[in-house]
Amino acid sequence: MTRIGLLFSETGSYAGVCRAMRAAADLAIDEINGSGSVQFEPIAIDPGGCLEGYVKGARDLLADPAIVHVVGCYTSSSRKEILPILEKRDALLWYPSHYEGFETSENVVYSGAAPNQHIVPLAKYLLGQSRRRGWLVGSNYVWAWENNRILREALGIAGGSVMGERYVPVGETDLRDIARQIILDRPDFVFTTLIGSSLFAFLDDLRRLAEAAGLDQAVDIPIASCSLSEAELPLIGRVAAGHLSSSVYFSTVETPENRRFTEAWNARCLGLGHASADAEATYVAVHLLARAIERAGSDGFEAVREAVRGIHFTAPQGEIEVDAMNVHCTLHPRIGVSRDDGTFDIVWESGEPVSPDPYLTWTQDSEFRIAAATHLKAVP
């Protein structure tokens, strides 16, 4: 029996997403415990959405010498905050969230999307739709700063522009003035890196002010995001439909494995919304951990860290592989438009799996110029 830590903020400003991630971890653990030689005993701690809670939670988990694997964290700030603790204790974080990239660590396995798997496809899609004037709104931490920087550079390369850029503290819900300025500026799109309650308040403010101005916000000033997911749509309410999201997974993906996954999810977790990208990445992370332990013949830090390199897994999104060099995953980029029923219509998807490029060393300036000159073909 391998004891593992689960570190998800099931309370706090972004609790909706983290409750779905925790549920996906539990689903994967039950599958693994019921089918294979690897058995997990989960020990869960709720950091409450604050950095101090993550630090204390990581220290408490790793104070147990039997725990060397922790699945968790949603925000990049929480991941970075606990990295020194992981390094000191020779422990691995299985990080199941999309993130801004520009990091590799011997103490992290990344099962969520790297920037070339979410922000780059979104930039190309927007440019291909002739949307070159953006307004950027984000929560004030590294996820927003870096993604906005990448998008700003992509727009500049393609001859576009950023009309405005604002950041607010995580959990801030007074965003009406920002929404009012956006309505006045009339950008081609708004790229939001807001999370949790900040995002919900902003979407409601922008839709209400657009309606008052006689605009169809979803058409005239669409919201684009790399984090909006099925876990949040039920919490948004009347303004849930019509938003673009760039992700590697939506509950509407048509694969045999996703049909099985969503059936299992709907039977036990539908109260948390339909299955989402962060839930799927958590489910994948736990399964990767089990496979690495089985391959290594040990749950030790060094043995598992080496064994996970190159592992294949049939995930709900499609076949994935852990890159042997950077320990990120080969994934399947997609873009969806949110619906009233809490799911997404997939309007674009990559023709093949995309290898992780966390430092964007393979992305060329010409890709954005070509996207700006070409109307991208949408999925029928």
Side-chain angles (χ1 to χ4, degrees), residues 3 40 46 53 83 106 109 165 190 221 295 298 310:
R3 193 173 294 173
F40 286 143
D46 174 6
L83 258 178
E106 289 295 299
V109 176
E165 186 169 352
V190 175
I221 313 177
R295 176 190 273 190
S298 163

Side-chain angles (χ1 to χ4, degrees), residues 41-57:
E41 178 189 354
I43 308 298
I45 289 181
D46 174 6
C50 65
L51 295 183
E52 296 82 359
Y54 281 99
V55 171
K56 184 178 186 304

Side-chain angles (χ1 to χ4, degrees), residues 149-347:
R149 179 182 64 80
I150 294 166
L151 184 58
R152 192 186 316 116
E153 290 179 3
L155 290 175
I157 290 165
S161 62
V162 171
M163 302 182 72
E165 186 169 352
R166 297 290 187 278
Y167 298 93
V168 300
V170 173
E172 175 61 64
T173 57
D174 184 6
L175 291 100
R176 191 174 178 84
D177 286 344
I178 294 174
R180 186 178 292 111
Q181 187 61 52
I182 289 169
I183 296 298
L184 291 173
D185 290 345
R186 303 284 178 91
D188 294 330
F189 67 92
V190 175
F191 178 58
T192 177
T193 45
L194 294 165
I195 63 170
S197 55
S198 300
L199 174 64
F200 310 153
F202 174 70
L203 293 180
D204 189 68
D205 285 342
L206 189 66
R207 184 69 60 88
R208 289 180 186 278
L209 290 171
E211 289 170 350
L215 299 173
D216 182 342
Q217 178 265 307
V219 174
D220 298 324
I221 313 177
I223 291 286
S225 171
C226 291
S227 57
L228 181 65
S229 73
E230 290 89 341
E232 296 166 303
L233 295 182
L235 305 175
I236 296 171
R238 75 173 193 97
V239 299
H243 309 303
L244 286 166
S245 185
S246 181
S247 182
V248 294
Y249 173 82
F250 296 106
S251 63
T252 47
V253 167
E254 294 184 0
T255 67
E257 184 60 27
N258 191 47
R259 284 193 290 274
R260 189 202 64 77
F261 175 65
T262 53
E263 285 176 6
W265 178 271
N266 292 344
R268 60 189 279 176
C269 310
L270 194 55
L272 299 173
H274 291 274
S276 62
D278 295 297
E280 194 246 9
T282 306
Y283 175 85
V284 166
V286 176
H287 274 283
L288 291 176
L289 172 55
R291 291 196 171 202
I293 291 173
E294 192 169 33
R295 176 190 273 190
S298 163
D299 58 12
F301 166 67
E302 292 184 0
V304 170
R305 184 181 63 188
E306 294 310 308
V308 75
R309 300 177 191 272
I311 280 185
H312 290 256
F313 180 63
T314 304
Q317 66 177 270
E319 292 292 329
I320 71 170
E321 178 183 2
V322 180
D323 188 276
M325 295 297 293
N326 59 41
V327 203
H328 292 61
C329 292
T330 294
L331 302 173
H332 299 256
R334 297 174 168 98
I335 292 173
V337 177
S338 60
R339 297 165 34 136
D340 282 326
D341 66 357
T343 65
F344 286 82
D345 287 321
I346 297 173
V347 296

Side-chain angles (χ1 to χ4, degrees), residues 132-151:
R132 304 188 192 188
R133 300 177 309 128
W135 229 101
L136 316 182
V137 185
S139 294
N140 193 21
Y141 74 108
V142 65
W143 156 255
W145 307 333
E146 288 298 317
N147 276 288
N148 284 347
R149 179 182 64 80
I150 294 166
L151 184 58

